[in-house]
Coordinates of all heavy atoms in Angstrom, one line a residue:
M1 N 1.5 -0.4 -21.5 CA 1.2 -0.4 -20.2 C 0.4 0.9 -19.8 O 0.4 1.9 -20.3 CB 2.5 -0.2 -19.4 CG 2.3 0.0 -17.9 SD 3.8 -0.1 -16.9 CE 4.8 1.3 -17.4
S2 N -0.7 0.7 -19.0 CA -1.7 1.7 -18.6 C -1.7 1.7 -17.1 O -2.5 0.9 -16.4 CB -3.1 1.3 -19.3 OG -4.1 2.4 -18.7
L3 N -0.9 2.6 -16.5 CA -0.8 2.6 -15.1 C -1.8 3.7 -14.5 O -1.9 4.8 -15.1 CB 0.6 3.1 -14.7 CG 0.8 3.2 -13.2 CD1 0.8 1.8 -12.5 CD2 2.3 3.7 -12.9
H4 N -2.5 3.2 -13.5 CA -3.5 4.1 -12.9 C -3.4 4.0 -11.3 O -3.3 2.9 -10.8 CB -4.9 3.7 -13.3 CG -6.0 4.6 -12.8 ND1 -6.2 5.8 -13.2 CD2 -6.8 4.3 -11.7 CE1 -7.3 6.3 -12.5 NE2 -7.6 5.5 -11.8
V5 N -3.3 5.2 -10.7 CA -3.3 5.2 -9.2 C -4.5 5.9 -8.6 O -4.9 7.0 -9.2 CB -2.0 5.9 -8.7 CG1 -2.0 5.9 -7.2 CG2 -0.7 5.2 -9.2
Q6 N -5.3 5.3 -7.7 CA -6.3 5.9 -7.3 C -6.5 5.8 -5.7 O -5.9 4.8 -5.2 CB -7.7 5.4 -7.8 CG -8.0 4.0 -7.5 CD -9.2 3.4 -8.3 OE1 -9.5 4.0 -9.3 NE2 -9.9 2.4 -7.6
K7 N -7.1 6.7 -5.0 CA -7.3 6.7 -3.6 C -8.3 5.6 -3.4 O -9.3 5.4 -4.1 CB -8.0 8.1 -3.2 CG -8.3 8.1 -1.7 CD -8.9 9.5 -1.4 CE -9.4 9.4 0.0 NZ -10.1 10.7 0.3
V8 N -8.1 4.8 -2.4 CA -9.0 3.6 -2.0 C -10.2 4.3 -1.3 O -10.1 4.8 -0.3 CB -8.2 2.7 -1.1 CG1 -9.1 1.6 -0.6 CG2 -7.1 2.1 -1.9
N9 N -11.3 3.9 -1.8 CA -12.7 4.3 -1.2 C -13.7 3.1 -0.9 O -14.7 3.2 -0.4 CB -13.4 5.2 -2.3 CG -12.7 6.5 -2.4 OD1 -12.3 7.1 -1.3 ND2 -12.5 6.9 -3.6
H10 N -13.1 1.9 -1.3 CA -14.0 0.7 -1.1 C -13.3 -0.3 -0.4 O -12.1 -0.5 -0.6 CB -14.5 0.2 -2.5 CG -15.3 1.2 -3.3 ND1 -16.5 1.6 -2.9 CD2 -14.9 1.9 -4.4 CE1 -16.9 2.5 -3.9 NE2 -16.0 2.7 -4.7
P11 N -13.9 -1.2 0.5 CA -13.2 -2.2 1.2 C -12.5 -3.3 0.4 O -11.5 -3.8 0.6 CB -14.4 -2.9 2.1 CG -15.6 -1.8 2.1 CD -15.3 -1.0 0.9
E12 N -13.1 -3.5 -0.8 CA -12.4 -4.6 -1.7 C -11.1 -4.0 -2.2 O -10.2 -4.9 -2.4 CB -13.4 -5.1 -2.8 CG -13.9 -4.0 -3.7 CD -15.2 -3.3 -3.2 OE1 -15.6 -3.5 -2.1 OE2 -15.7 -2.5 -4.0
D13 N -11.0 -2.8 -2.5 CA -9.8 -2.2 -2.9 C -8.7 -2.1 -1.7 O -7.6 -2.4 -1.9 CB -9.9 -0.8 -3.4 CG -10.6 -0.8 -4.9 OD1 -10.6 -1.8 -5.6 OD2 -11.3 0.1 -5.2
L14 N -9.2 -1.9 -0.5 CA -8.3 -1.9 0.7 C -7.8 -3.3 0.8 O -6.6 -3.5 1.2 CB -9.1 -1.4 1.8 CG -8.2 -1.2 3.1 CD1 -7.2 -0.2 2.8 CD2 -9.0 -0.8 4.3
D15 N -8.6 -4.4 0.6 CA -8.1 -5.7 0.6 C -7.0 -6.0 -0.3 O -6.0 -6.7 0.0 CB -9.3 -6.7 0.3 CG -10.3 -6.8 1.6 OD1 -10.0 -6.3 2.7 OD2 -11.4 -7.3 1.3
K16 N -7.0 -5.4 -1.5 CA -6.1 -5.5 -2.6 C -4.7 -4.9 -2.1 O -3.6 -5.3 -2.3 CB -6.4 -4.9 -3.9 CG -7.6 -5.7 -4.5 CD -8.2 -5.1 -5.7 CE -9.6 -5.7 -6.2 NZ -10.1 -5.0 -7.3
V17 N -4.9 -3.7 -1.5 CA -3.8 -3.0 -1.0 C -3.0 -3.7 0.0 O -1.9 -3.9 0.0 CB -4.1 -1.6 -0.3 CG1 -3.0 -0.9 0.5 CG2 -4.6 -0.6 -1.4
F18 N -3.7 -4.3 1.0 CA -3.2 -5.1 2.1 C -2.7 -6.4 1.6 O -1.6 -6.8 2.1 CB -4.3 -5.5 3.2 CG -4.8 -4.3 4.0 CD1 -5.9 -4.3 4.6 CD2 -4.0 -3.2 4.1 CE1 -6.3 -3.3 5.5 CE2 -4.3 -2.1 4.8 CZ -5.6 -2.2 5.5
A19 N -3.2 -7.0 0.5 CA -2.6 -8.2 -0.1 C -1.2 -8.0 -0.7 O -0.2 -8.7 -0.5 CB -3.5 -8.9 -1.1
I20 N -1.1 -6.7 -1.3 CA 0.1 -6.4 -2.0 C 1.2 -6.1 -0.9 O 2.3 -6.5 -1.0 CB -0.1 -5.1 -2.8 CG1 -0.8 -5.4 -4.1 CG2 1.3 -4.5 -3.3 CD1 -1.3 -4.2 -4.9
R21 N 0.9 -5.4 0.2 CA 1.7 -5.1 1.2 C 2.2 -6.4 1.9 O 3.3 -6.5 2.4 CB 1.2 -4.1 2.2 CG 1.1 -2.8 1.7 CD 0.4 -1.7 2.5 NE 0.7 -1.9 3.9 CZ 0.0 -1.3 4.9 NH1 -1.0 -0.5 4.6 NH2 0.3 -1.4 6.1
K22 N 1.3 -7.3 2.1 CA 1.7 -8.6 2.7 C 2.8 -9.3 1.9 O 3.7 -9.8 2.4 CB 0.4 -9.6 2.9 CG 0.9 -10.8 3.6 CD -0.2 -11.8 3.7 CE 0.1 -13.1 4.3 NZ 1.3 -13.8 3.7
I23 N 2.5 -9.4 0.5 CA 3.4 -10.1 -0.3 C 4.9 -9.4 -0.2 O 5.8 -10.0 -0.1 CB 2.9 -10.1 -1.9 CG1 1.7 -11.0 -1.8 CG2 4.1 -10.5 -2.7 CD1 1.0 -10.9 -3.2
V24 N 4.8 -8.1 -0.4 CA 6.1 -7.3 -0.5 C 6.8 -7.2 0.8 O 8.0 -7.5 1.0 CB 5.9 -5.9 -1.1 CG1 7.1 -5.1 -1.0 CG2 5.3 -6.0 -2.6
F25 N 6.1 -6.8 2.0 CA 6.8 -6.5 3.2 C 6.8 -7.8 4.1 O 8.0 -8.0 4.6 CB 6.0 -5.3 4.0 CG 6.1 -4.2 3.2 CD1 5.0 -3.4 2.8 CD2 7.3 -3.5 2.8 CE1 5.0 -2.2 2.1 CE2 7.4 -2.3 2.1 CZ 6.3 -1.6 1.8
V26 N 5.7 -8.5 4.2 CA 5.8 -9.5 5.2 C 6.5 -10.8 4.5 O 7.4 -11.4 5.1 CB 4.4 -10.0 5.6 CG1 4.4 -11.2 6.5 CG2 3.8 -8.8 6.4
D27 N 6.1 -11.2 3.3 CA 6.6 -12.5 2.7 C 8.1 -12.2 2.1 O 8.9 -13.0 2.5 CB 5.7 -12.9 1.5 CG 4.3 -13.3 2.0 OD1 4.1 -13.6 3.3 OD2 3.3 -13.4 1.2
E28 N 8.3 -11.2 1.4 CA 9.6 -11.0 0.7 C 10.5 -10.4 1.7 O 11.7 -10.8 1.6 CB 9.3 -10.1 -0.6 CG 8.6 -10.6 -1.7 CD 8.4 -9.8 -2.9 OE1 9.1 -8.6 -2.9 OE2 7.7 -10.1 -3.8
Q29 N 10.2 -9.4 2.5 CA 11.1 -8.6 3.3 C 11.2 -9.0 4.7 O 11.8 -8.5 5.6 CB 10.8 -7.1 3.2 CG 11.1 -6.6 1.8 CD 10.8 -5.1 1.6 OE1 10.6 -4.4 2.6 NE2 10.7 -4.7 0.4
N30 N 10.2 -10.1 5.1 CA 10.2 -10.7 6.4 C 9.9 -9.6 7.5 O 10.5 -9.7 8.6 CB 11.5 -11.4 6.7 CG 11.7 -12.6 5.8 OD1 10.9 -13.4 5.7 ND2 13.0 -12.7 5.3
C31 N 9.1 -8.6 7.2 CA 8.7 -7.6 8.2 C 7.7 -8.3 9.1 O 6.8 -9.1 8.6 CB 8.0 -6.4 7.4 SG 7.3 -5.2 8.6
P32 N 7.8 -8.1 10.4 CA 6.8 -8.8 11.3 C 5.4 -8.2 11.1 O 5.3 -7.0 10.9 CB 7.3 -8.2 12.7 CG 8.8 -8.0 12.5 CD 8.9 -7.4 11.1
P33 N 4.5 -9.1 10.9 CA 3.1 -8.7 10.6 C 2.6 -7.6 11.5 O 1.9 -6.6 11.2 CB 2.3 -10.0 10.6 CG 3.3 -11.1 10.4 CD 4.6 -10.5 11.0
E34 N 2.9 -7.8 12.8 CA 2.4 -6.8 13.8 C 2.9 -5.3 13.6 O 2.2 -4.4 13.9 CB 2.7 -7.3 15.3 CG 4.1 -7.3 15.6 CD 4.7 -8.7 15.2 OE1 4.2 -9.5 14.6 OE2 5.9 -8.9 15.7
L35 N 4.0 -5.2 13.0 CA 4.6 -3.9 12.6 C 4.0 -3.3 11.3 O 3.9 -2.2 11.0 CB 6.1 -3.9 12.5 CG 6.8 -4.3 13.8 CD1 8.3 -4.2 13.6 CD2 6.4 -3.3 15.0
E36 N 3.7 -4.3 10.4 CA 3.1 -3.9 9.2 C 1.8 -3.3 9.2 O 1.3 -2.4 8.4 CB 3.1 -5.0 8.1 CG 2.6 -4.8 6.8 CD 3.2 -3.5 6.2 OE1 4.4 -3.2 6.3 OE2 2.6 -2.8 5.4
W37 N 1.0 -3.7 10.1 CA -0.5 -3.4 10.2 C -0.8 -2.3 11.2 O -1.8 -2.3 11.9 CB -1.4 -4.6 10.3 CG -1.0 -5.6 9.4 CD1 -0.5 -6.9 9.7 CD2 -1.1 -5.5 8.0 NE1 -0.3 -7.5 8.5 CE2 -0.6 -6.9 7.4 CE3 -1.4 -4.6 7.1 CZ2 -0.5 -7.0 6.1 CZ3 -1.3 -4.8 5.7 CH2 -0.9 -6.0 5.3
E38 N 0.1 -1.3 11.4 CA -0.1 -0.4 12.5 C -0.6 1.1 11.6 O -0.2 1.1 10.5 CB 1.0 0.0 13.3 CG 2.2 0.3 12.5 CD 3.6 0.5 13.4 OE1 3.5 0.2 14.6 OE2 4.6 0.8 12.8
H39 N -1.4 1.9 12.4 CA -1.7 3.1 11.8 C -2.8 3.1 10.7 O -3.0 4.0 10.0 CB -0.6 4.0 11.4 CG 0.4 4.2 12.5 ND1 0.2 4.9 13.7 CD2 1.6 3.8 12.6 CE1 1.3 4.8 14.5 NE2 2.2 4.2 13.8
E40 N -3.3 2.0 10.5 CA -4.3 1.9 9.3 C -5.5 2.8 9.3 O -5.9 3.3 8.3 CB -4.7 0.3 9.2 CG -3.6 -0.7 9.0 CD -2.7 -0.3 7.8 OE1 -2.9 0.4 6.9 OE2 -1.4 -0.7 8.0
D41 N -6.1 2.9 10.5 CA -7.3 3.7 10.6 C -7.1 5.2 10.4 O -8.0 5.8 10.0 CB -7.9 3.5 11.9 CG -8.5 2.2 12.2 OD1 -8.7 1.4 11.2 OD2 -8.7 1.8 13.4
E42 N -5.9 5.6 10.6 CA -5.6 7.1 10.3 C -4.9 7.4 9.0 O -4.6 8.5 8.7 CB -4.6 7.6 11.5 CG -3.4 6.9 11.6 CD -2.6 7.0 12.9 OE1 -3.1 6.4 13.8 OE2 -1.6 7.8 12.9
S43 N -4.7 6.3 8.2 CA -4.0 6.5 7.0 C -5.0 6.6 5.7 O -6.1 6.1 5.8 CB -3.1 5.3 6.7 OG -2.2 5.2 7.7
I44 N -4.5 7.2 4.7 CA -5.3 7.3 3.4 C -4.4 6.4 2.4 O -3.3 6.6 2.3 CB -5.3 8.8 2.9 CG1 -5.8 9.7 3.8 CG2 -6.0 8.8 1.5 CD1 -7.4 9.5 4.2
H45 N -5.2 5.5 1.9 CA -4.5 4.4 1.1 C -4.7 4.7 -0.4 O -5.7 5.2 -0.8 CB -5.0 3.0 1.4 CG -4.8 2.7 2.9 ND1 -3.6 2.0 3.3 CD2 -5.5 2.8 4.0 CE1 -3.7 1.9 4.5 NE2 -4.8 2.4 5.1
F46 N -3.7 4.2 -1.2 CA -3.8 4.3 -2.6 C -3.5 3.0 -3.3 O -2.6 2.3 -2.8 CB -2.9 5.3 -3.2 CG -3.2 6.8 -2.7 CD1 -2.9 7.2 -1.5 CD2 -4.0 7.5 -3.5 CE1 -3.2 8.5 -1.0 CE2 -4.3 8.8 -3.1 CZ -4.0 9.3 -1.9
L47 N -4.1 2.6 -4.4 CA -3.9 1.4 -5.1 C -3.4 1.7 -6.5 O -4.1 2.6 -7.2 CB -5.2 0.5 -5.2 CG -5.1 -0.7 -6.0 CD1 -4.2 -1.7 -5.3 CD2 -6.5 -1.2 -6.1
A48 N -2.4 1.1 -7.0 CA -1.9 1.3 -8.4 C -2.4 0.1 -9.1 O -2.2 -1.1 -8.7 CB -0.4 1.4 -8.3
T49 N -2.8 0.3 -10.4 CA -3.1 -0.9 -11.3 C -2.5 -0.7 -12.6 O -2.2 0.4 -13.0 CB -4.6 -1.0 -11.5 OG1 -5.1 0.2 -12.0 CG2 -5.5 -1.3 -10.2
N50 N -2.2 -1.8 -13.2 CA -1.5 -1.8 -14.5 C -2.5 -2.6 -15.4 O -2.7 -3.8 -15.2 CB -0.2 -2.3 -14.5 CG 0.6 -2.4 -16.0 OD1 -0.1 -2.0 -16.8 ND2 1.7 -2.8 -16.0
N51 N -3.1 -2.0 -16.4 CA -4.1 -2.6 -17.2 C -5.2 -3.2 -16.4 O -5.7 -4.3 -16.7 CB -3.5 -3.5 -18.2 CG -2.7 -2.8 -19.3 OD1 -2.9 -1.7 -19.7 ND2 -1.4 -3.5 -19.6
G52 N -5.6 -2.6 -15.4 CA -6.7 -3.0 -14.5 C -6.1 -4.2 -13.4 O -7.0 -4.5 -12.5
Q53 N -4.9 -4.5 -13.4 CA -4.4 -5.6 -12.5 C -3.7 -4.8 -11.4 O -2.9 -4.0 -11.6 CB -3.5 -6.5 -13.2 CG -2.9 -7.6 -12.3 CD -2.0 -8.6 -13.1 OE1 -1.8 -8.4 -14.3 NE2 -1.5 -9.5 -12.4
P54 N -4.1 -5.1 -10.1 CA -3.4 -4.5 -9.0 C -1.9 -4.7 -9.0 O -1.4 -5.8 -9.2 CB -4.0 -5.1 -7.7 CG -5.4 -5.6 -8.2 CD -5.1 -6.0 -9.6
C55 N -1.0 -3.7 -8.9 CA 0.4 -3.9 -9.0 C 1.1 -3.2 -7.8 O 2.3 -3.4 -7.7 CB 0.9 -3.5 -10.3 SG 0.6 -1.8 -10.7
G56 N 0.5 -2.2 -7.2 CA 1.3 -1.4 -6.2 C 0.4 -0.7 -5.2 O -0.9 -0.7 -5.4
A57 N 0.9 -0.3 -4.1 CA 0.1 0.4 -3.1 C 1.1 1.3 -2.3 O 2.2 1.2 -2.3 CB -0.4 -0.6 -2.1
C58 N 0.4 2.3 -1.6 CA 1.1 3.2 -0.7 C 0.1 3.8 0.2 O -1.1 3.6 -0.1 CB 1.9 4.1 -1.4 SG 0.9 5.5 -2.4
R59 N 0.5 4.6 1.2 CA -0.4 5.4 1.9 C 0.2 6.6 2.5 O 1.5 6.8 2.4 CB -0.8 4.5 3.2 CG 0.2 4.3 4.2 CD -0.3 3.5 5.4 NE 0.8 3.5 6.5 CZ 0.7 2.7 7.4 NH1 -0.2 1.8 7.6 NH2 1.6 2.8 8.4
W60 N -0.5 7.4 3.1 CA -0.1 8.8 3.7 C -0.8 8.9 4.9 O -2.0 8.5 5.0 CB 0.0 10.0 2.9 CG -1.3 10.7 2.4 CD1 -1.8 10.4 1.2 CD2 -2.2 11.5 3.2 NE1 -3.1 11.1 1.1 CE2 -3.3 11.8 2.3 CE3 -2.1 12.0 4.4 CZ2 -4.3 12.7 2.7 CZ3 -3.2 12.9 4.9 CH2 -4.2 13.1 4.0
R61 N -0.2 9.6 5.9 CA -1.0 9.9 7.1 C -0.4 11.2 7.7 O 0.8 11.4 7.6 CB -0.9 8.7 8.2 CG 0.4 8.4 8.7 CD 0.4 7.0 9.7 NE 1.7 6.7 9.9 CZ 2.2 7.0 11.1 NH1 1.7 7.8 11.9 NH2 3.6 6.6 11.2
K62 N -1.2 11.8 8.5 CA -0.8 13.0 9.2 C -0.2 12.6 10.5 O -0.8 11.9 11.3 CB -2.0 13.9 9.4 CG -1.5 15.4 9.9 CD -2.7 16.3 10.0 CE -2.2 17.6 10.4 NZ -3.3 18.6 10.4
T63 N 1.0 13.2 10.8 CA 1.7 13.0 12.1 C 1.9 14.3 12.8 O 1.5 15.4 12.2 CB 3.0 12.3 12.0 OG1 3.9 13.2 11.4 CG2 2.9 11.1 11.1
D64 N 2.4 14.3 14.1 CA 2.7 15.6 14.7 C 3.7 16.4 14.0 O 3.9 17.6 14.2 CB 3.2 15.3 16.2 CG 2.1 14.7 17.0 OD1 0.9 14.9 16.7 OD2 2.4 14.0 18.0
N65 N 4.5 15.7 13.2 CA 5.6 16.5 12.4 C 5.2 16.7 11.0 O 6.0 17.1 10.1 CB 6.9 15.6 12.5 CG 7.5 15.4 13.8 OD1 7.4 16.4 14.5 ND2 7.8 14.3 14.1
G66 N 3.9 16.6 10.6 CA 3.5 16.7 9.2 C 3.0 15.6 8.6 O 2.7 14.5 9.3
Y67 N 2.9 15.4 7.2 CA 2.5 14.4 6.5 C 3.5 13.3 6.1 O 4.6 13.7 5.8 CB 1.7 14.7 5.3 CG 0.4 15.5 5.5 CD1 0.3 16.8 5.7 CD2 -0.8 14.7 5.7 CE1 -0.8 17.5 5.9 CE2 -2.0 15.4 5.9 CZ -2.0 16.7 6.0 OH -3.2 17.4 6.4
K68 N 3.2 12.0 6.3 CA 4.3 11.0 6.2 C 3.8 10.1 5.0 O 2.7 9.6 5.1 CB 4.4 10.2 7.5 CG 5.5 9.2 7.3 CD 5.8 8.5 8.7 CE 6.9 7.6 8.6 NZ 7.2 6.9 9.8
L69 N 4.6 10.0 3.9 CA 4.3 9.1 2.8 C 4.9 7.7 3.2 O 6.2 7.8 3.5 CB 4.9 9.8 1.6 CG 4.4 11.1 1.3 CD1 5.0 11.7 0.0 CD2 2.9 11.2 1.0
E70 N 4.4 6.7 3.1 CA 5.0 5.4 3.5 C 4.3 4.2 2.9 O 3.2 4.3 2.2 CB 4.8 5.3 5.0 CG 3.5 5.4 5.6 CD 3.5 5.7 7.2 OE1 4.5 5.7 7.7 OE2 2.3 5.7 7.8
R71 N 5.0 3.1 3.2 CA 4.5 1.8 2.7 C 4.3 1.7 1.2 O 3.4 1.1 0.7 CB 3.1 1.4 3.4 CG 3.2 1.3 4.9 CD 4.1 0.2 5.3 NE 3.9 -0.2 6.8 CZ 4.5 0.3 7.8 NH1 5.4 1.3 7.7 NH2 4.2 -0.1 9.0
F72 N 5.2 2.3 0.5 CA 5.2 2.2 -1.0 C 5.6 0.7 -1.3 O 6.7 0.3 -0.9 CB 6.2 3.1 -1.6 CG 5.7 4.6 -1.6 CD1 5.9 5.4 -0.4 CD2 5.1 5.0 -2.8 CE1 5.3 6.7 -0.6 CE2 4.6 6.3 -2.8 CZ 4.7 7.2 -1.7
A73 N 4.8 -0.1 -2.1 CA 5.1 -1.5 -2.4 C 4.6 -1.7 -3.9 O 3.6 -1.2 -4.2 CB 4.2 -2.3 -1.4
V74 N 5.5 -2.3 -4.6 CA 5.2 -2.7 -6.0 C 5.6 -4.2 -6.1 O 6.6 -4.7 -5.6 CB 6.1 -1.9 -7.0 CG1 5.9 -2.5 -8.3 CG2 5.9 -0.5 -6.8
L75 N 4.5 -5.0 -6.6 CA 4.8 -6.4 -6.9 C 5.9 -6.6 -7.8 O 6.2 -5.9 -8.8 CB 3.5 -7.1 -7.3 CG 2.2 -6.9 -6.5 CD1 1.1 -7.6 -7.2 CD2 2.5 -7.8 -5.2
K76 N 6.7 -7.8 -7.5 CA 7.9 -8.0 -8.2 C 7.8 -8.0 -9.7 O 8.7 -7.6 -10.4 CB 8.4 -9.5 -7.7 CG 9.8 -9.7 -8.2 CD 10.3 -11.1 -7.7 CE 10.5 -11.1 -6.2 NZ 11.0 -12.4 -5.7
D77 N 6.7 -8.5 -10.3 CA 6.5 -8.6 -11.7 C 6.3 -7.2 -12.4 O 6.5 -7.2 -13.6 CB 5.3 -9.4 -12.0 CG 5.5 -10.9 -11.8 OD1 6.6 -11.4 -11.5 OD2 4.4 -11.7 -11.7
F78 N 6.1 -6.3 -11.5 CA 6.0 -4.9 -12.2 C 7.1 -4.0 -11.8 O 7.0 -2.8 -12.2 CB 4.6 -4.3 -11.6 CG 3.4 -5.1 -12.0 CD1 2.9 -6.1 -11.2 CD2 2.9 -4.8 -13.2 CE1 1.8 -6.9 -11.5 CE2 1.7 -5.6 -13.7 CZ 1.2 -6.5 -12.8
R79 N 8.1 -4.4 -11.0 CA 9.2 -3.5 -10.6 C 10.1 -3.2 -11.8 O 10.2 -4.1 -12.8 CB 10.0 -4.1 -9.5 CG 9.2 -4.3 -8.3 CD 10.0 -4.9 -7.2 NE 9.1 -5.4 -6.2 CZ 9.4 -6.3 -5.3 NH1 10.4 -7.1 -5.4 NH2 8.5 -6.6 -4.4
G80 N 10.7 -2.0 -11.9 CA 11.8 -1.8 -12.9 C 11.2 -1.4 -14.3 O 11.8 -1.4 -15.2
Q81 N 9.9 -1.0 -14.3 CA 9.2 -0.7 -15.6 C 8.9 0.8 -15.6 O 8.2 1.2 -16.7 CB 7.9 -1.4 -15.6 CG 8.2 -3.0 -15.7 CD 6.9 -3.8 -15.9 OE1 5.9 -3.2 -16.5 NE2 6.8 -5.0 -15.4
G82 N 9.5 1.5 -14.7 CA 9.2 3.1 -14.8 C 8.1 3.5 -14.3 O 7.3 3.1 -13.7

């Protein structure tokens, strides 16, 4: 396994992040889509890949109370592998 996490700098990588979050949060956990897609413009996004295949995502954003780490998502096929 070759896990790599990088900051998202390109629109096509952001599309991969959003696709992972849709699968995990909207489809699997039934999160309302309108709640899943808030604060996107003020967030810094990260994409995890395993052997080049997108497998996870997260983001952080600055709030009035400090930095908030959130929206950690891992696709089902990659969970539990450390």
Side-chain angles (χ1 to χ4, degrees):
M1 174 168 65
S2 176
L3 184 64
H4 182 72
V5 179
Q6 68 181 30
K7 180 180 171 186
V8 171
N9 292 312
H10 302 287
E12 58 272 8
D13 288 335
L14 190 58
D15 289 343
K16 294 172 187 175
V17 165
F18 290 162
I20 290 169
R21 286 177 39 197
K22 180 186 179 299
I23 291 167
V24 173
F25 297 122
V26 177
D27 298 343
E28 292 179 9
Q29 297 180 9
N30 297 313
C31 177
E34 63 273 11
L35 296 179
E36 179 51 32
W37 310 118
E38 59 186 3
H39 307 295
E40 300 308 333
D41 292 341
E42 62 198 73
S43 298
I44 304 298
H45 298 271
F46 294 84
L47 176 66
T49 58
N50 183 355
N51 295 323
Q53 183 177 356
C55 63
C58 67
R59 73 180 190 193
W60 67 261
R61 64 185 172 95
K62 188 173 182 180
T63 70
D64 292 338
N65 296 319
Y67 289 92
K68 187 172 183 182
L69 307 175
E70 56 191 1
R71 299 298 198 266
F72 285 81
V74 176
L75 294 175
K76 191 181 289 188
D77 289 344
F78 298 93
R79 293 178 198 156
Q81 297 182 26

